[in-house]
Amino acid sequence: MSKFAGRQQSVVVDGVVPSRASPPFRSPPTAAEVHATPAALRMLLGICLIFSFPAFTIQLALNMATGQWVGSPILQAMTLGTELLVFCAILGSQSTRSLVAQCWPILALIMFAFVSAIWSQNRAATIQTANTYMTTALLGLVIVGLLPGFQSVKFVVRTMAVGCLLSILWVVLFPETAIHQLSDPYQTVHAGLWRGVFSHKQGLGYFSGLTVGLLLFYRTSIFPAPVWAFFLVCSVMCLIGSGSATGMVATAVAPAFLFMAYFIARLPLPFRQPMVVKFAIGVAIIGLAFRLGILNYVIVQILGKSTDLTGRADFWPIILQNFYASGHSFLGGGFGAKIAADMSEWSVDNGYVDKFLEFGYLITPLIFGIFVLILWKGIRLVVANPGGQTSANIFPFAVWCVTLILNISESNFMTKCLSTVLTSVAVGLIVQQAQSSSRRQRVQFRRVD
């Protein structure tokens, strides 16, 4: 048995390994195996995760004088190194291989990305982008495979907190790249706002807002109290510095969905499903109120933000009309082929529209169907709450709801970004809990016999 597989045979309850485990699970690993052996591996995973946020792209791959992306050997080496680490981890651990093989929603999305190269208007770009997406998506699954249960959630949130700290350090040490400047070759309207180690203030805003939300909910489950307070301040500073409305939304909805899911999971079993329906109706009412303009006063007068999503809602219909007339509407322009640039001079900034432009009428319903399935499986995991692992069981539902909401004003589906890693972590946790439930049922059946 590989050293990776050996760590995953114990039962993990809310991130705590019990002192004794029932067959067929192995006895828990020793303290040396838990804390010493995985240290180097955790560090490698953390570095790969930071570059998959993605971080340091503008610092390493952009010519600030011309605004042209010139590529970076360091980023290329990190992508190759992440891919190598991911496949070595999968090949070296039977339990991780089993987990990845059962995460078919992620594998299906990867397959669709590669298959679209057949009709892509830029086949080379599609294959390259699909390979990058595959590496990022598999990284999330490997994290769950090597750090089962709540350990994976804790690891990801801790790394996100480090990303906020790095952004503050970059603002202090390298303000010319970490802060939008009037001398920037594009989007000078954001001058003075932070982007940290990211390429844009929206990237830092979404990232730091989600970090704030996760830290507020999980609190000392992630860090000891003083360390937690320090990183919470760091993430709040990044959120304020970015001035991102998307980040503010992430800060609000992430803990809201986590608390909602936690409340449901702790109810007596017969009351959980009816409560899900009640919360769903409440969310639908809020969405309808936004559409009808009932929330305009709060959004505009109190928050100081525009209700048309900074003009995005006005040009999405124009982009779609151009797409319908382009001749690509059935198959789409191909994953990562940048067809959106041919449809409009404006950036789409909408994950749903972007996927439709890339995959057309043929594949998009299948992709969106997978999105709905992930949401449904997340809801079922909250309702069932197997194994008493509440902290881990509520994560897939909450983080996927946040991703679905934020992709209305950002395009993060199936890209090299934090959302892709979190999606894979969510699916991995769902599958992992299903595997654990199946093993527990077999154990109970053997005891009855």
Side-chain angles (χ1 to χ4, degrees):
M1 180 176 292
S2 71
K3 62 179 181 180
F4 294 140
R7 295 184 63 247
Q8 295 173 280
Q9 304 303 315
S10 59
V11 183
V12 181
V13 178
D14 276 343
V16 180
V17 180
S19 60
R20 299 184 64 183
S22 301
F25 305 112
R26 286 186 57 200
S27 299
T30 64
E33 291 175 323
V34 171
H35 298 291
T37 305
L41 178 60
R42 286 172 183 255
M43 181 175 294
L44 286 175
L45 287 173
I47 294 172
C48 292
L49 180 55
I50 287 174
F51 276 89
S52 296
F53 283 160
F56 305 110
T57 303
I58 192 171
Q59 291 84 359
L60 296 174
L62 182 71
N63 185 323
M64 294 298 292
T66 63
Q68 299 295 315
W69 295 100
V70 295
S72 167
I74 296 177
L75 292 179
Q76 293 169 359
M78 283 305 308
T79 299
L80 182 61
T82 301
E83 194 165 354
L84 181 62
L85 175 64
V86 162
F87 282 107
C88 285
I90 294 174
L91 293 174
S93 168
Q94 189 278 330
S95 54
T96 302
R97 281 199 307 276
S98 174
L99 176 72
V100 172
Q102 294 185 57
C103 291
W104 68 263
I106 301 299
L107 300 180
L109 294 175
I110 294 172
M111 180 197 68
F112 289 139
F114 278 105
V115 166
S116 70
I118 298 173
W119 59 81
S120 172
Q121 65 176 11
N122 189 337
R123 189 167 298 173
T126 294
I127 294 174
Q128 180 180 0
T129 308
N131 184 71
T132 302
Y133 165 62
M134 175 188 69
T135 302
T136 309
L138 291 181
L139 175 63
L141 297 182
V142 165
I143 288 173
V144 177
L146 300 180
L147 302 169
F150 188 68
Q151 293 182 69
S152 59
V153 177
K154 181 187 296 186
F155 173 80
V156 170
V157 178
R158 283 183 170 183
T159 309
M160 291 168 63
V162 172
C164 291
L165 176 60
L166 288 174
S167 290
I168 293 176
L169 292 176
W170 244 247
V171 167
V172 174
L173 299 175
F174 310 105
E176 64 279 2
T177 56
I179 301 176
H180 286 276
Q181 306 289 336
L182 280 173
S183 57
D184 287 351
Y186 64 96
Q187 293 189 335
T188 56
V189 68
H190 301 314
L193 296 177
W194 293 11
R195 57 186 164 208
V197 297
F198 296 85
S199 302
H200 193 273
K201 65 108 175 176
Q202 286 293 86
L204 177 61
Y206 158 71
F207 181 89
S208 58
L210 187 56
T211 305
V212 171
L214 291 170
L215 287 176
L216 284 176
F217 176 79
Y218 284 116
R219 298 187 297 278
T220 53
S221 297
I222 304 298
F223 291 113
V227 181
W228 171 83
F230 170 76
F231 280 112
L232 180 63
V233 170
C234 288
S235 56
V236 170
M237 289 175 61
C238 287
L239 177 63
I240 296 173
S242 70
S244 169
T246 301
M248 295 179 186
V249 172
T251 302
V253 300
F257 279 109
L258 283 165
F259 278 113
M260 178 197 307
Y262 184 81
F263 175 77
I264 294 171
R266 303 297 292 181
L267 287 174
L269 186 59
F271 297 101
R272 295 176 190 173
Q273 189 168 336
M275 188 58 67
V276 169
V277 175
K278 293 178 182 178
F279 276 124
I281 293 173
V283 171
I285 291 173
I286 294 173
L288 182 61
F290 175 80
R291 291 290 297 174
L292 295 177
I294 298 174
L295 301 179
N296 286 1
Y297 178 82
V298 174
I299 296 172
V300 178
Q301 301 299 326
I302 298 179
L303 298 180
K305 301 298 179 180
S306 61
T307 56
D308 63 353
L309 303 177
T310 322
R312 295 179 181 90
D314 294 331
F315 56 72
W316 288 333
I318 299 173
I319 294 173
L320 290 174
Q321 286 300 323
N322 293 339
F323 180 62
Y324 299 144
S326 68
H328 292 289
S329 59
F330 182 64
L331 293 173
F335 179 70
K338 301 188 184 304
I339 186 176
D342 298 335
M343 300 298 107
S344 169
E345 60 182 305
W346 304 297
S347 178
V348 174
D349 287 331
N350 181 296
Y352 301 94
V353 174
D354 256 338
K355 292 310 111 185
F356 180 56
L357 297 180
E358 290 178 341
F359 293 101
Y361 284 110
L362 181 63
I363 304 297
T364 303
L366 300 178
I367 291 175
F368 289 170
I370 291 175
F371 291 172
V372 172
L373 178 65
I374 295 173
L375 178 61
W376 174 244
K377 292 291 186 180
I379 293 172
R380 290 188 60 184
L381 185 59
V382 170
V383 172
N385 193 24
Q389 302 181 46
T390 308
S391 295
N393 290 341
I394 63 177
F395 184 82
F397 164 74
V399 78
W400 186 234
C401 285
V402 174
T403 301
L404 292 175
I405 291 173
L406 297 185
N407 266 276
I408 296 173
S409 60
E410 296 296 322
S411 185
N412 290 328
F413 287 137
M414 299 173 67
T415 60
K416 182 183 179 181
C417 69
L418 176 65
S419 289
T420 294
V421 176
L422 292 179
T423 300
S424 293
V425 170
V427 173
L429 287 173
I430 291 170
V431 171
Q432 195 171 73
Q433 289 292 31
Q435 291 176 333
S436 298
S437 296
S438 178
R439 288 195 294 264
R440 283 192 293 268
Q441 289 174 0
R442 289 199 298 270
V443 169
Q444 292 173 356
F445 180 76
R446 289 171 184 170
R447 287 175 177 173
V448 169
D449 286 347

